[in-house]
Structure formats: structure tokens, C-alpha cells
Amino acid sequence: MTRQVPLFINGEFVQSASNDKRDVLNPATQAVLAEVPFATPDEVDVAVASAKDAFQTWRDVPVAERARLMMRYQALLKAYHDELGEILAHDTGKTFEDAKGDVWRGIEVVEQAANIPSNMMGETVENVANGIDTYTYIQPLGVCVGITPFNFPAMIPLWMFPLAIAAGNTFVLKPSEQVPLTPVRLVELFIEAGAPKGVLNMVHGGPDQVNQLLEHPDVRAASFVGSSHVGEHIYRTGTAAGKRVQCMMGAKNHMVIMPDADPNAVLNALVGSSVGAGGQRCMGISVAMFVGDSSQLIDALAERLATAQPGVWDDASASYGPLISPQARERVLGLISKGTEEGATCLLDGSDCTVDGYPDGNWVGPTLFKDVTPEMSIYKEEIFGPVLCCMQVETLEEAIAQINSLEVGNGVSLFTASGGAARKFQHEILVGQVGINIPIPVPLPFFSFTGWRGSFRGDLHAYGKQAVRFYTETKTITAKWSFQEPAATGGGQPNMS
Ligand code: NAD
């Protein structure tokens, strides 16, 4: 009997009544891990109603109590770190270390959520006019929803619900239908940590369920992480329905390499950041942009990349796992063929990659192109596979202009020994997260995840102080109180006799 992925509604795991189900597949074997139901409209409604109901009491739970729930949750996530990593590795195909890293980055956000009291502090000014004071309170919105992608099934749900709930909201999570098993375990541990019923709910599904949540009159805000075309739809649909929406979307991240950069550091950084997680990271590097002559470094890069081979989750020698689905693999292989057809030079082609004992895995080997130009499909599209494109420009100015001409602006990196070059780059680049001699500059959760331009829609970004603002309203109170001494009741000292 195939495992059925439950919904989580009103404090209970329940089996969906839906007949619309998809297989959850192990990407290394195609073994069916479970069936995930696409929730019925009634089930989505009940999940929102439960969150709405729970909000009436949860908003009044003292902020220190809400913080303590996050402390207990953090301790449980750490206690079950290995188990979560293993579930996640089966769901996604990630190597065990990478899967544990996914969980760890989520734990760090829960730690940040435990700091909620200081992040909920308002402002005060005494005596804005004679005897009048103004002060602000930060109050939760109500029911918030989160729609998450396949590539970080622990970290990205944990970017959302812990901060929203710590701020006093209630939440409905709609995780990726491709990897619903890690989120189920995240929810179980949240309940074990003591979350009251209705505070967190989870429904599964695709476009219909997401649209219903976005248009639901009782939903106040939606957080989305995923591809750009879906994010644009979610931003339009959600804002048209009057919701507050933040969408973290697709990317095309460049690493710019100056001639004075440390070659060894460049090679190490390029290998890990381009093929790590099979290139399925929104902050992975997919373009190496060399300033000046790059021929020697590219040859050395091809040699190093060839040693980074995919494998199954518990193979300690594997550099990364399979792609998420056969469709994702077909798409990446199609782009690799187009790269050659459109005139790029393929130095390493991972299209025919196999892994012993796993003939059905969605394997793609490390792939390296040089002579890539801006008109080519491999440059214009987000490949989301272990494919690195090398380009050459003559000056830093040219590199900055090229990157700034793209629609997306999630992450970028510069390798150099020159403080002047770094200063110019960080000042002029129109990308929201910049690494200087760091390949993947994902900010820790006391900052926010600040993708720019086409990589983001909304005003306030994911996690950190910005997310607390996203999940709250500011209420400004202006108060006037006059004081008069109470009238004397007469009689001096009480009579003690
Ligand atoms: P996706 O957009 O296909 O799916 C994301 C979520 O949206 C899923 O829950 C899915 O069920 C839902 N969805 C899909 N189609 C929909 C539709 N038509 N209407 C409403 N909802 C829909 O993304 P994915 O393939 O799961 O994830 C990979 C993408 O996510 C990449 O583009 C990557 O760059 C991006 N990503 C961005 C960030 C970031 O922070 N900027 C982080 C991780 C991933």
C-alpha cells in the first residue's frame, strides 16, 4: 500500500478526500515514495477557517510564550537533524551533507524567530504636543500563507511559518507537491514543540489550490518562493485580491573573476557553487565571467569540474545528487544541446552521465561551456542544472553593465585582490546579494534575503527584520491624558484607636 501524504488541518493529520493525486518519486530510482493528494476546495477552506479561528487566541498569547515555542522547536529540529536530513535526501536526491545543510539553514531562521520580542518593539515619542504622546505597536496580520518550491523543502518553509507565527499570525503552508515528505516531518515536530491547533495548517496541491488561497477573503498575506513565471502570476493574483505578497523568484547568478583573483580560490568556489545540489539552487553560480584572458583558468576548471560527479544520497564521494525529475533532466539536456547548436564550445558534456546501480536516476554530469554570448539560450534561461557557462569581457565596467542589463538580480559574486574593484562593484551592481571573494552570499537570518529586480516582487523581503515587518502591521496611537490630584478625603492621619 503506497504511503498517502496527509494534510494537516486544525491540529490533526487527515487523509484528503481528493481523487487527484501525484506520485512522489525518489529522483535516484523513480521508486514511488508516496502519493500526494491535491486538496479539495472544501479542505482548503477548512484549513483557512482553522487558521482564522486560531488567530483569535494566538494573537493574544504573550510574545515571550510565542518565542519559547520557537526555542522548543529549534531544539527538536536539532535533535532530529539527521532524520530530517535523511527524509530530505530521499525526497530531493540531495547528498546527506547537503540535505543536512538545507535543514540547518532553516534551523537558523527558527533561532531568529525566537528573538521575536525585540523585533516586535514599536517606537515612542513623548510630548508630540502638550501632554500628548505617540507610540506604535507592531501587531500581526491574521492568516498568512506560504507557497514553496522543491529545491529547499526544509529551509524555505522555515523561512516563512516560524517568523509569521512568532509574530502572532496563523499560517497555511502549501509545500511543493514534488517534495511533501520533509514538510510533513517539520509539521509533526512543530506540534511536538507545543504549537496549539490551527496555528499551522498544511494543504497540498498545485495551481488550483494556490489560486484558492491567494483569492481567499480570510487570507491577509502570501509568501512565495519559486520560478519567475509562477511568481509573476502569484504576485498579480494575490495583489489583485488585496493581499500583501512577497515573491522570491528565479535567478542567473554571475561570478566575476578579476585577473588578480587567487586562482585556487576561484576554482574551488566555481566548482562548489555551480554543480552543488546539481545546480538546483537559486543562489548557485551559473555564469563565470572572466575579466581579461581566461584560457588557463578555464582549462584548469574543466579538469576540476570533471572530478565532481553525481551519486546517491549516502555515497560520501558524491558531489551532488540527481535532478528532481525526469522532466527537469530532459529540459537541462535540451539546453545543453542548444548551447552547442548556438555556437558555444562544450568542454565537458554531462548529458550521458550514468551512476552504477542506479540506471533510472535523473543524472546529469558536470557540464562546462566557454565562448558563451548573451544571445544564447544557455545564457538567457535559468538552467537549474549542473551547467556552468564561461564568458569573457575586457573590463570590470563591461562586466557590471552586462549583469545590470539582465532582468534578474538575485545574487552575484566578485573574486579579486583589489579593494578598489570590490568597492566599485558593490556600489554599482544592481543585484541584491553580493559576495566579495564569497561564491554564494546567502545572508544569515538576522539579515534578510534581498533579491532585486526580476528576482523579487514585493516590498519586504524574506526572513530577518523585513519579514517581521511583512507579517505585521504598525498601529500608531496618539494619547492625551490629563492628571489632577484626587480631592483630599479630609481628616489627616487615620484614626488607629
Ligand atoms: P515552481 O515555480 O514550479 O513551484 C513553486 C511553487 O509554486 C510550488 O509549490 C508549486 O506547486 C506552485 N506552482 C507551480 N505552478 C503554479 C501555478 N501555475 N500557479 C500557482 N502555483 C503554482 O518552482 P520550483 O520548480 O519548485 O522551484 C525552482 C525555482 O524556484 C527556480 O526558478 C529557483 O530559482 C526558484 N527559487 C528561488 C529562490 C529565491 O529565494 N529567489 C529560492 C529557491 C528557489
Side-chain angles (χ1 to χ4, degrees), residues 148-151 174 177 225-227 248-249 282 382 384 449:
T148 59
F150 79 82
N151 66 333
K174 203 304 285 172
E177 67 282 16
V225 177
S227 59
M248 282 58 75
M249 312 192 293
C282 69
E382 183 184 33
F384 233 52
F449 189 93

